[in-house]
Amino acid sequence: EVQLAESGGGLVQPGGSLRLSCIASGFTFSGYWMAWVRQTPGKGLEWVATISPDGSGQYYVDSVEGRFTISRDNAKYSLYLQINNLRAEDTALYYCAREKWSLFDYWGQGTMVTVSS
Amino acid sequence: DIVMTQSPDSLAVSLGERATINCKSSQSLLCRADKKNYLGWYQQKPGQPPKLLIAWASIRESGVPDRFSGSGSGTDFTLTISSLQAEDVAVYYCQQHCSNPFTFGGGTKVEIK
């Protein structure tokens, strides 16, 4: 059974940083593109970043380019999102998701990031 | 960026009746030589992550009941629930996977009348 479990969210002040983690199981992690997708009540679902199976390619939505870094450790079946210089508009539930043709066929339960002073 | 617009925002349908959700893209989702529509549909129940229901505009994922069907091409797409069941109460989203950034519609909430 495919499972994805995120962690690392929390309350952080504007300008702060967090590192989100996602542990995968139930499939060959190194064979898949992986992504982070966030959800807010106001903006709905928003794709944030994608990483290639070997980690050599990373892609971001413009609003996070230069502030967020997606990475992975295939040996640890883990996906990461380093988020720096946080803004209020980054407040969201962050999901780790497995990609299939740039759709998202499995999702974790999400980890909440709240940016507030 | 490709803008995805869903309608209606919400609808209430009686059990056993048909529910129809529309999704319109700002650019054609026939974006490759393979003549496939790069459009997916998701279902999100309260407190749960989204679940992929349909890929390529009309191909059901494994295990998805056949009362769910997708149709359309180019810029106009439809998700139909042929006979609404109580467990289908959810928010439904479309998503284009034609080009980066991959964008979602705003969602349609389906309730029981």
Side-chain angles (χ1 to χ4, degrees), chain B residues 6-104:
Chain B
Q6 285 184 236
S7 62
D9 292 336
S10 65
L11 74 161
V13 176
S14 300
L15 289 172
E17 296 300 306
R18 180 184 301 261
T20 301
I21 300 166
N22 301 301
C23 175
K24 188 174 184 67
S25 58
S26 61
Q27 300 174 32
S28 176
L29 301 187
L30 284 164
C31 52
R32 305 276 192 278
D34 59 11
K35 299 184 181 179
K36 290 182 177 180
N37 284 285
Y38 282 61
L39 187 282
W41 287 99
Y42 298 84
Q43 174 193 65
Q44 186 175 31
K45 297 181 179 181
Q48 296 184 19
K51 173 187 175 183
L52 181 62
L53 294 179
I54 287 174
W56 308 116
S58 62
I59 308 300
R60 274 189 303 275
E61 287 289 283
S62 174
V64 174
D66 60 8
R67 64 180 180 272
F68 292 93
S69 64
S71 62
S73 184
T75 61
D76 292 279
F77 301 90
T78 300
L79 175 69
T80 302
I81 310 172
S82 61
S83 176
L84 191 74
Q85 305 300 303
E87 61 265 32
D88 301 334
V89 169
V91 180
Y92 293 84
Y93 296 92
C94 58
Q95 180 223 326
Q96 64 83 14
H97 55 123
C98 224
S99 64
N100 176 344
F102 310 116
T103 46
F104 294 82

Side-chain angles (χ1 to χ4, degrees), chain A residues 4 10 15 20 23 26-27 31-32 55 60-62 67-68 83-84 89 95 104 109 117:
Chain A
L4 299 167
L20 308 184
I23 295 180
F27 65 103
Y32 286 86
Y60 302 92
V61 68
D62 284 351
R67 299 187 300 122
F68 289 18
I83 46 181
N84 298 328
E89 55 264 34
Y95 292 106
F104 310 105
Q109 291 297 313
S117 55

Side-chain angles (χ1 to χ4, degrees), chain A residues 24-93:
Chain A
S25 61
F27 65 103
T28 304
F29 184 70
S30 60
Y32 286 86
W33 293 71
M34 297 293 296
W36 291 94
V37 179
R38 64 186 180 184
Q39 185 170 30
T40 63
K43 289 190 69 178
L45 288 164
E46 182 180 39
W47 167 79
V48 173
T50 284
I51 189 166
S52 61
D54 66 357
S56 63
Q58 302 98 37
Y59 307 89
Y60 302 92
V61 68
D62 284 351
S63 60
V64 309
E65 184 85 54
R67 299 187 300 122
F68 289 18
T69 302
I70 188 171
S71 62
R72 65 193 295 162
D73 185 334
N74 286 343
K76 294 182 178 179
Y77 271 55
S78 293
L79 178 71
Y80 306 102
L81 187 68
Q82 177 68 41
I83 46 181
N84 298 328
N85 191 17
L86 277 157
R87 306 168 180 168
E89 55 264 34
D90 296 320
T91 294
L93 183 62

